[in-house]
C-alpha cells in the first residue's frame, strides 16, 4: 500500500480545520511497515460518514478499532467524511479518500466498515465510496474492491442501502468482527476470487445480513416476500449481542483528539441496553437486554482512562445512566480517586448524560458537578400524562416538578426539556401540555431566581423499525409545522421559556429512509447525485431534493411516510430481527393505543418480548430493586428506592401465543 | 514560579491550531501530575500561557509556553523528570528542547519577544528567487496590502523587516521580522518576497524568538547558543528567549522534511 500523504499535505494549506485529516491522536495506532497484500493482515478501514469532530468520539468505532488492532492478523485504521472544501480539493487533485493514520487510499483496504448512527448520513456513504474510487453499487464491484459493510443503529433497516453495501451487521460488533476477519483472511489467502461465493459464506455468519443473497418481491406497491436465494442462507438474520459487557472493557486506549470534537472528554459505558420500554425509542428496543458493567471495572476504566488521556472530565454513558445499579458508589469512587491523584488535577468533572427525570437524579448531578451549574437536560418527551402512557415514558408531572424544584434550589438557572411532537394519538391538548409544563417549570425556577430559564426543544417524531410504533403513519410536514406554531403561540410571551424545534422537513426526509424498502435506494442515489451530502447539516439540507427524487422514481411520500401500516403487512425489515417478537411489538402498539404502560422488566417479571428467551441471554444488573427517586412510573413516591409494588398495565390477552 | 519551556512543532502536527495545541498541552501536563496553578472562579483554568501564536501550517523550532506552578498543589517537579515525560505525552513533532525558571513577575512571553527569525521555502522557489527576495532589505519602503477591521489598506512594512538572508544552500529565505506593534506575518512577507508563488505553497519554519535589550529578570541565559546556528548582522544585544539546552531527546528533529 502506498501513502498519499505527500499529495494530501499541500491541500491542507487550502482548507479549514486541517487537523481533521492528519491523525496523530493520542491512542491512535499507526500500522508499521507491514507488507500489505494477500499474505498481509486483514486491513479494515473504519469509516464514519460525518465530520471528524462528530465521528472521532464515537465509542462503537473506537471499541472495534482497538479490538481489531489487538489481533496480530488484522489492522484497523479510520476515516471520516471530508468537509466540502477538502472534498473539492481532493477531487480536483485526484486524491482518493484516505485513512487518517497512514494516509493510505481507502480502496486498498480489504474492508470499509461504516458506522451508521442515523439515516440522513446515507448519502455521505455514497460520497465516501465514490471518493474512494469504489463502485457505489455492490453488483459492479470486482473481487479486488474492498468489501463494504455497515453497522450501527441505522443498519437495523439496511434495505434502502441494499444496493450499495455488501453486508450489514446487526447489533453489537465485538464478537462478530473476529468471525468476519477470519473469513476474509481465508478469502485473501485464496486469492480473493469469486465475490459472490465469498458473500454467500459471509451470509452464514450469525448477525451478518448480505442483501444480495435475498430476493425481494413486490406486487404493485406492496412487499410480498423476501426470500434467500440459496438454501444455506438463513431466512432471518438475528442481531448479535454480547452476553457480558464485563468481558469487553473497551476502549482501553481512548482516542484523545488534537482538535476540538463534540464530546471532548473521556467516555466510559456503564451499561448497554435499556428496558424502560419507551415505545418511540429504537435504541431501547434494539439493544436489549440490560447488561451492566461491574462497578469495579467502571472505576478502573475511568481512572486508567483519565491517567492515559489527561482528561479531567468523564462521561458515564448509557441510555439512562441514573438507572445504573451502582451509580452512587461509582460516583463517590471517582471523586475519591480524583482527590488522591497528585498534582492539581484533583478536580474530575463527571458528566451524566441521559438523566432520568426525578429529584434523586438532580441530587446526583449536584454532587458530581464540581460546583458548576451549566445546564441540566430532562426528556419528558410528551406534554400530558395520557400521552406519556401512550409512549410508555412514565414520568409524572410531580416527578418533573420535583426535579425542577431540586435543580433550581441547588443553584441551576437553566433547564432544558426535550419533547417529541407528532406522536401517536397526540391531540392539540397534548401538544399544548408541553407549553404548560414549561410554564410551570419556569415558575418554579422564578421562585428561586429571576434568571431562571427553560429551553424547550421539540423534535418531530419519526417512527422507527423494530419498535411498537413501526406501524404508525408519521405526521405530515404541515401538521408538524402546525403543532410547532401552536407551541410558539403558547410560549412566546412566557417569561423564561425559549422554544426551539427540529426542522419538520428534515424529519420528513428521515421518514422516507427510516422505514424504506429497497426501492428507496434509487432515491438516495439520486439525492446524492444532485449534490445532497451532509444532509444532517441544515446548510446543506434541502427537502426538495428528496421529494423530487421520490417523484422521479415514481414513489409516493404518503405511502412511505404518512401511511399507517396494517397488521398483516410484511415490513421491509421483517427478515431482520433484534429479537423482539413481532406480536410483542404489535401487542405493545395496541397497548399504546389503549394508553396502557408496561413496566421495566429488569426489576419486574419478564413479559417475554422475545430477546432474552430467543437468544438465551439475560439481564445483568447488580441490584434487583430499582434505584431510589421519583415514581418509577407507578405514580407513587419511591424516593427511597425499593420494589415497585404495583403493576402498571393490565395484562393484555390474545394476539400472542 | 513559572516553568518556561521551549518546544518544537514539526511535521504533521503543524496543522493543529494554536488553541487546539493549548488543550493538548493541558492534558499532557495533567498526565505528568504537574502542580499547575489554576485561575479562581467556577471554571478554573490552568495557568498556562503561550507565546506568540504560530500561523496555522507553519513549523517551529522555537515555541514557548509558560506554565505556572503552585506549591500548594504538590512538590515542584524536577525538570529532568518531567520534561522527558512531557515529550512522551505530547504528539510526535512536539519536543521540549529547553527550559528555564522565571519569576511570577516576569514579563509575559507575548511582551518580551521583539522579533522572530523565520525560514521560508517552497517547491517552486529556486535560489535566484531567494536571492531576489533578499534585495527587499535595500528598499526604502515595502508595501503590503493588509486587512484591518474589514478595511483593506496599504502598509509600509519595511521597518518590520530586520534582516533577510539566503540559507547556506540558497534555497530558503531567512528573515528576521519584528513582532512589536502590528507584526509582519511570514505569509505577508511571502506575498511580496515571492510574488509569483501562491503563498499557501510557501512553507514556513520559525527558528528563533528574540529578546532585545536587558531582560535578565526573565531568566534569559547568558548562553547565546540557539536552536539553530546561523549568522546575522543583527546579533548585538539579541538573545533567544531560552537558550539553555536541555537533556531531553531532541535528536529526532527533522526540519522541514
Amino acid at each position: 500500500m502506498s501513502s498519499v500523504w505527500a499529495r494530501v499535505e499541500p491541500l491542507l494549506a487550502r482548507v479549514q480545520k486541517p487537523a481533521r485529516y492528519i491523525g496523530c491522536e493520542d491512542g491512535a495506532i499507526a500500522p508499521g511497515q507491514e507488507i500489505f497484500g494477500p499474505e498481509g493482515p486483514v486491513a479494515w478501514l473504519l469509516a464514519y460518514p460525518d465530520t471528524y469532530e462528530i465521528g472521532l468520539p464515537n465509542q462503537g468505532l473506537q471499541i472495534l478499532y482497538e479490538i481489531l488492532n489487538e489481533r496480530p492478523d488484522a489492522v484497523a485504521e479510520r476515516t471520516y467524511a471530508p468537509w466540502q472544501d477538502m472534498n473539492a480539493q481532493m477531487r480536483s487533485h485526484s486524491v482518493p479518500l484516505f485513512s487518517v493514520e497512514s494516509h493510505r487510499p481507502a480502496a486498498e483496504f480489504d474492508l470499509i466498515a461504516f458506522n451508521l448512527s442515523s439515516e440522513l448520513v446515507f448519502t455521505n456513504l455514497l460520497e465516501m465510496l465514490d471518493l474512494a474510487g469504489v463502485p457505489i453499487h455492490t453488483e459492479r464491484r470486482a473481487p479486488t474492491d474492498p468489501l463494504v459493510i455497515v453497522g450501527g443503529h441505522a443498519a437495523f433497516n439496511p434495505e434502502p442501502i441494499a444496493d450499495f453495501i455488501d453486508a450489514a451487521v446487526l447489533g453489537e460488533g465485538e464478537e462478530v468482527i473476529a468471525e468476519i476477519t477470519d473469513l476474509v483472511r481465508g478469502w485473501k489467502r485464496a486469492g480473493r476470487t469469486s465475490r459472490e461465493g465469498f458473500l454467500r459464506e459471509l451470509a452464514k455468519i450469525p448477525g451478518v445480513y448480505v442483501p444480495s443473497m435475498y430476493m425481494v418481491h413486490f406486487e404493485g406497491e406492496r412487499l410480498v416476500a423476501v426470500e434467500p436465494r440459496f438454501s444455506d442462507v438463513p431466512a432471518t438474520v438475528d442481531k448479535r449481542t454480547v452476553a457480558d459487557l464485563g468481558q469487553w472493557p473497551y476502549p482501553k486506549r481512548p482516542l484523545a483528539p488534537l482538535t476540538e470534537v463534540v464530546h471532548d472528554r473521556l467516555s466510559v459505558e456503564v451499561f448497554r441496553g435499556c428496558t424502560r420500554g419507551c415505545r418511540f425509542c429504537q435504541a431501547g428496543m434494539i439493544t436489549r437486554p440490560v447488561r451492566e458493567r461491574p462497578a469495579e471495572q467502571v472505576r478502573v476504566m475511568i481512572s486508567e482512562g483519565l491517567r492515559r488521556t489527561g482528561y479531567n472530565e468523564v462521561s458515564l454513558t448509557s441510555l439512562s445512566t441514573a438507572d445504573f445499579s451502582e451509580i452512587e458508589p461509582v460516583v463517590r469512587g471517582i471523586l475519591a480517586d480524583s482527590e488522591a491523584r497528585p498534582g492539581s488535577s484533583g478536580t474530575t468533572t463527571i458528566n451524566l448524560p441521559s438523566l432520568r427525570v426525578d429529584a434523586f437524579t438532580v441530587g446526583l448531578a449536584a454532587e458530581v458537578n464540581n460546583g458548576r451549574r451549566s445546564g441540566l437536560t430532562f426528556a419528558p418527551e410528551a406534554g400530558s400524562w395520557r400521552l406519556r402512557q401512550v409512549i410508555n415514558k412514565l414520568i409524572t408531572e410531580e416527578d418533573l416538578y420535583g426535579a425542577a424544584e431540586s435543580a433550581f434550589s441547588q443553584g441551576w438557572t437553566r433547564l432544558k426539556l426535550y419533547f417529541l411532537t407528532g406522536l401517536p394519538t397526540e391531540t392539540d391538548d397534548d401538544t399544548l401540555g408541553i407549553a404548560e409544563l414549561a410554564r410551570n417549570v419556569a415558575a418554579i425556577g422564578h421562585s428561586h431566581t429571576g434568571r431562571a430559564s427553560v429551553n424547550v426543544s421539540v423534535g418531530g417524531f419519526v417512527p422507527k423499525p423494530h419498535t411498537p410504533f413501526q406501524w404508525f403513519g408519521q405526521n405530515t410536514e404541515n401538521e408538524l409545522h402546525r403543532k410547532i406554531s401552536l407551541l410558539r403561540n403558547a410560549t412566546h410571551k412566557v417569561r423564561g421559556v425559549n422554544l426551539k424545534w427540529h426542522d419538520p422537513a428534515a424529519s420528513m426526509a428521515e421518514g422516507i429512509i427510516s422505514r424504506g424498502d429497497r426501492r428507496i435506494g434509487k432515491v438516495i442515489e439520486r439525492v446524492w447525485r444532485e449534490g445532497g451530502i451532509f444532509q444532517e447539516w441544515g446548510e446543506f439540507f434541502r427537502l426538495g431534493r428528496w421529494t423530487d427524487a421520490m417523484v422521479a422514481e415514481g414513489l409516493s411520500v404518503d405511502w412511505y411516510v404518512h401511511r399507517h401500516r396494517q397488521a398483516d403487512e410484511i415490513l421491509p425489515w421483517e427478515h431482520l430481527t433484534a429479537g423482539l417478537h413481532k406480536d410483542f411489538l404489535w401487542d405493545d402498539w395496541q397497548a399504546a393505543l389503549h394508553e396502557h404502560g408496561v413496566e421495566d422488566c429488569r426489576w419486574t417479571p419478564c413479559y417475554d418480548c422475545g430477546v432474552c428467551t430467543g437468544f438465551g441471554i439475560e439481564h445483568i444488573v447488580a441490584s434487583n430493586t430499582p434505584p431510589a427517586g421519583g415514581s418509577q412510573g407507578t405514580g407513587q413516591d419511591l424516593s427511597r428506592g425499593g420494589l415497585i409494588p404495583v403493576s402498571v398495565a393490565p395484562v393484555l390477552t390474545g394476539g400472542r401465543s | 514560579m513559572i516553568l518556561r519551556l521551549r518546544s518544537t512543532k514539526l511535521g504533521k502536527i503543524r496543522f493543529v491550531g494554536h488553541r487546539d495545541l493549548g488543550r493538548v498541552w493541558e492534558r499532557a501536563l495533567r498526565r505528568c501530575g504537574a502542580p499547575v496553578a489554576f485561575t479562581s472562579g467556577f471554571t478554573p483554568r490552568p495557568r498556562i500561557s503561550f507565546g506568540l501564536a504560530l500561523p496555522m501550517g507553519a513549523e517551529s523550532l522555537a515555541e514557548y509556553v509558560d506554565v505556572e506552578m503552585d506549591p500548594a498543589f504538590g512538590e515542584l517537579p524536577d525538570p529532568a523528570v518531567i520534561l522527558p515525560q512531557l515529550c512522551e505525552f505530547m504528539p510526535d513533532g512536539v519536543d521540549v528542547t529547553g527550559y528555564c525558571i522565571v519569576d511570577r513577575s516576569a514579563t509575559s512571553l507575548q511582551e518580551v519577544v521583539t522579533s522572530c527569525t523565520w525560514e521560508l521555502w517552497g517547491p517552486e522557489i529556486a535560489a535566484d528567487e531567494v536571492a531576489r527576495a533578499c534585495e527587499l532589505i535595500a528598499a526604502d519602503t515595502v508595501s503590503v496590502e493588509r486587512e484591518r477591521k474589514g478595511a483593506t489598506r496599504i502598509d509600509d512594512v519595511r521597518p518590520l523587516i530586520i534582516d533577510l538572508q539566503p540559507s547556506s544552500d540558497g534555497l530558503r529565505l531567512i528573515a528576521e521580522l519584528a513582532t512589536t506593534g502590528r507584526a509582519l506575518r511570514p505569509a505577508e512577507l511571502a506575498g511580496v518576497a515571492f510574488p509569483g508563488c501562491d503563498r499557501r505553497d510557501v512553507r514556513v519554519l520559525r527558528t528563533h524568538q528574540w529578546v532585545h535589550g536587558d531582560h535578565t529578570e526573565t531568566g534569559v541565559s547568558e548562553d547565546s547558543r540557539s536552536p539553530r546556528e546561523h549568522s546575522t548582522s543583527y546579533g548585538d544585544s539579541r538573545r533567544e528567549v531560552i537558550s539553555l539546552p536541555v537533556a531531553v531527546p531532541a535528536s529526532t528533529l527533522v526540519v522541514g522534511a
Side-chain angles (χ1 to χ4, degrees), chain A residues 190-381:
Chain A
R192 275 188 89 121
T193 49
S194 158
R195 199 169 174 102
E196 170 149 318
F198 171 80
L199 290 176
R200 187 165 162 184
E201 291 305 308
L202 188 62
K204 293 178 194 165
I205 296 180
V208 179
Y209 170 55
V210 179
S212 59
M213 291 293 128
Y214 296 79
M215 302 285 283
V216 178
H217 304 283
F218 295 97
E219 273 175 17
E221 287 181 310
R222 282 174 68 91
L223 171 62
V224 292
V226 178
E227 50 185 17
R229 287 170 50 208
F230 305 100
S231 59
D232 56 354
V233 170
T236 49
V237 180
D238 290 321
K239 72 162 179 175
R240 293 294 292 262
T241 306
V242 169
D244 181 1
L245 199 57
Q247 292 186 354
W248 298 96
Y250 292 89
K252 294 171 181 167
R253 296 178 186 77
L255 291 167
L258 301 177
T259 183
E260 207 163 7
V261 297
V262 287
H263 301 294
D264 207 358
R265 61 184 79 92
L266 180 67
S267 287
V268 174
E269 186 182 26
V270 295
F271 68 89
R272 198 173 284 178
C274 177
T275 41
R276 287 270 168 192
C278 303
R279 292 173 175 132
F280 56 87
C281 177
Q282 190 191 36
M285 292 290 161
I286 62 176
T287 61
R288 295 174 171 213
V290 173
R291 287 142 297 148
E292 292 188 348
R293 193 182 289 290
E296 185 50 33
Q297 188 178 73
V298 169
R299 194 169 161 173
V300 169
M301 285 176 73
I302 292 167
S303 61
E304 274 298 292
L306 292 174
R307 190 185 60 77
R308 197 177 267 284
T309 58
Y311 278 128
N312 62 349
E313 185 174 354
V314 57
S315 243
L316 304 183
T317 65
S318 72
L319 291 171
S320 178
T321 294
D323 287 342
F324 182 52
S325 295
E326 303 191 65
I327 187 68
E328 286 189 283
V330 160
V331 161
R332 275 197 297 273
I334 301 167
L335 296 174
D337 285 353
S338 92
E339 265 156 42
R341 208 170 295 123
S344 53
S345 57
T347 47
T348 303
T349 302
I350 305 171
N351 208 289
L352 302 172
S354 312
L355 285 180
R356 210 171 54 216
V357 185
D358 57 44
F360 164 80
T361 303
V362 177
L364 196 63
E367 225 177 297
V368 305
N369 247 344
N370 218 349
R372 275 183 233 180
R373 294 289 183 266
S374 48
L376 267 187
T377 302
F378 296 117
E381 308 287 5

Side-chain angles (χ1 to χ4, degrees), chain A residues 352-504:
Chain A
L352 302 172
S354 312
L355 285 180
R356 210 171 54 216
V357 185
D358 57 44
F360 164 80
T361 303
V362 177
L364 196 63
E367 225 177 297
V368 305
N369 247 344
N370 218 349
R372 275 183 233 180
R373 294 289 183 266
S374 48
L376 267 187
T377 302
F378 296 117
E381 308 287 5
S384 70
W385 172 247
R386 188 198 73 76
L387 191 54
R388 288 194 295 275
Q389 285 178 299
V390 170
I391 65 174
N392 204 41
K393 181 98 187 191
L394 299 173
I395 294 158
T396 62
E397 285 185 31
E398 289 69 36
D399 290 331
L400 176 62
Y401 299 153
E405 175 66 35
S406 177
F408 287 119
S409 68
Q410 291 182 76
W412 272 279
T413 59
R414 207 154 37 89
L415 294 195
K416 199 189 251 185
L417 302 179
Y418 277 169
F419 292 95
L420 289 169
T421 189
L423 289 163
T425 77
E426 182 174 329
T427 64
D428 287 357
D429 284 346
D430 296 317
T431 312
L432 288 167
I434 294 172
E436 179 71 23
L437 288 179
R439 191 162 37 234
N440 293 339
V441 168
I444 292 168
H446 289 136
S447 70
H448 292 279
T449 166
R451 288 190 299 135
S453 71
V454 179
N455 293 325
V456 177
S457 174
V458 180
F461 173 59
V462 179
K464 293 288 158 109
H466 309 284
T467 70
F469 288 172
Q470 64 186 355
W471 288 277
F472 174 64
Q474 183 175 332
N475 279 194
T476 62
E477 192 195 358
N478 284 342
E479 176 66 0
L480 290 176
H481 273 301
R482 192 186 65 81
K483 285 174 174 159
I484 287 163
S485 303
L486 284 178
L487 285 174
R488 289 174 69 183
N489 292 334
T491 56
H492 85 283
K493 283 197 178 134
V494 181
R495 177 174 164 232
V497 175
N498 309 306
L499 182 73
K500 283 183 186 154
W501 57 92
H502 187 67
D503 180 9

Side-chain angles (χ1 to χ4, degrees), chain A residues 5 9 12-14 18-19 22 26 101 103 256-260 307-312 343-345 371-372, chain B residues 12-16 20 23-24 27 30-31 33-36 38 42-43 56 73 89 91 198 200-201 203:
Chain A
W5 171 250
E9 194 173 18
L12 297 184
R14 291 161 164 79
I22 64 169
D26 212 345
E101 285 88 356
H103 293 92
L258 301 177
T259 183
E260 207 163 7
R307 190 185 60 77
R308 197 177 267 284
T309 58
Y311 278 128
N312 62 349
S344 53
S345 57
R372 275 183 233 180
Chain B
K12 288 179 181 174
I13 206 80
R14 72 189 175 95
F15 294 111
V16 176
D20 280 341
R23 267 192 294 275
V24 179
R27 285 205 311 260
R30 224 179 274 129
R31 288 176 73 180
V36 178
F38 273 75
F42 264 134
T43 48
M56 175 75 91
F73 290 137
F89 295 152
D198 187 328
R200 292 172 299 191
D201 290 325
R203 296 286 300 270

Side-chain angles (χ1 to χ4, degrees), chain B residues 217-237:
Chain B
E217 89 279 9
T218 64
V220 171
S221 157
E222 287 306 306
D223 184 343
S224 64
R225 274 177 298 161
S226 48
R228 178 186 277 196
E229 297 294 340
H230 65 81
S231 62
T232 81
S233 52
Y234 285 79
D236 49 355
S237 62

Side-chain angles (χ1 to χ4, degrees), chain B:
Chain B
M1 171 207 116
I2 288 172
L3 183 61
R4 179 164 284 182
L5 302 173
R6 183 180 67 220
S7 74
T8 61
K9 184 180 180 186
L10 297 168
K12 288 179 181 174
I13 206 80
R14 72 189 175 95
F15 294 111
V16 176
H18 186 71
R19 283 186 54 231
D20 280 341
L21 199 63
R23 267 192 294 275
V24 179
W25 274 105
E26 280 177 30
R27 285 205 311 260
L29 284 158
R30 224 179 274 129
R31 288 176 73 180
C32 298
V36 178
F38 273 75
T39 61
S40 49
F42 264 134
T43 48
R45 306 287 312 155
R47 288 190 181 273
I48 303 172
S49 51
F50 298 90
L52 299 168
L54 188 68
M56 175 75 91
E59 292 176 284
S60 181
L61 294 172
E63 291 309 286
Y64 290 95
V65 53
D66 279 353
V67 184
E68 186 173 336
M69 303 291 181
D70 187 339
F73 290 137
E75 229 170 271
L76 294 178
D78 178 357
V81 174
I82 200 173
L83 298 183
Q85 277 183 343
L86 266 177
C87 288
E88 189 196 323
F89 295 152
M90 289 300 287
D92 284 350
V94 177
D95 273 308
V96 178
T97 58
Y99 75 94
C100 64
I101 308 291
V102 299
D103 193 74
R104 279 190 64 180
S105 62
T107 317
S108 77
L109 285 166
Q110 306 260 1
E111 289 169 63
V112 76
V113 172
T114 50
S115 67
C116 295
T117 298
W118 304 89
E119 294 184 7
L120 291 84
W121 74 100
E124 284 160 29
I125 297 171
D128 55 337
E129 283 160 299
V130 172
R132 210 174 310 128
C134 291
E135 289 165 12
L136 281 176
I137 200 78
D140 291 332
T141 60
V142 176
S143 298
V144 169
E145 204 172 86
R146 301 207 282 186
E147 234 173 67
R148 184 164 207 177
K149 291 178 182 167
T152 307
R153 51 180 245 189
I154 308 287
D155 287 342
D156 175 20
V157 297
R158 175 61 191 84
L160 300 170
I161 303 173
I162 298 169
D163 187 34
L164 296 174
Q165 301 262 344
S167 59
S168 53
D169 64 3
L171 291 172
R172 293 184 181 201
L173 175 64
I174 299 171
E176 186 183 349
L177 305 178
T179 57
T180 46
R182 185 163 180 213
L184 178 60
R185 291 193 298 232
E188 292 168 337
L189 175 68
V192 286
F194 306 115
C197 186
D198 187 328
R199 67 171 72 174
R200 292 172 299 191
D201 290 325
V202 178
R203 296 286 300 270
V204 172
L205 171 73
R206 174 146 70 188
T207 57
H208 298 273
Q209 297 194 41
W210 300 111
V211 176
H212 283 84
D214 178 24
H215 273 291
T216 48
E217 89 279 9
T218 64
V220 171
S221 157
E222 287 306 306
D223 184 343
S224 64
R225 274 177 298 161
S226 48
R228 178 186 277 196
E229 297 294 340
H230 65 81
S231 62
T232 81
S233 52
Y234 285 79
D236 49 355
S237 62
R238 186 186 67 170
R239 294 177 182 85
E240 179 75 27
V241 179
I242 299 172
S243 43
L244 277 178
V246 64
V248 293
S251 54
T252 52
L253 305 186
V254 181
V255 180

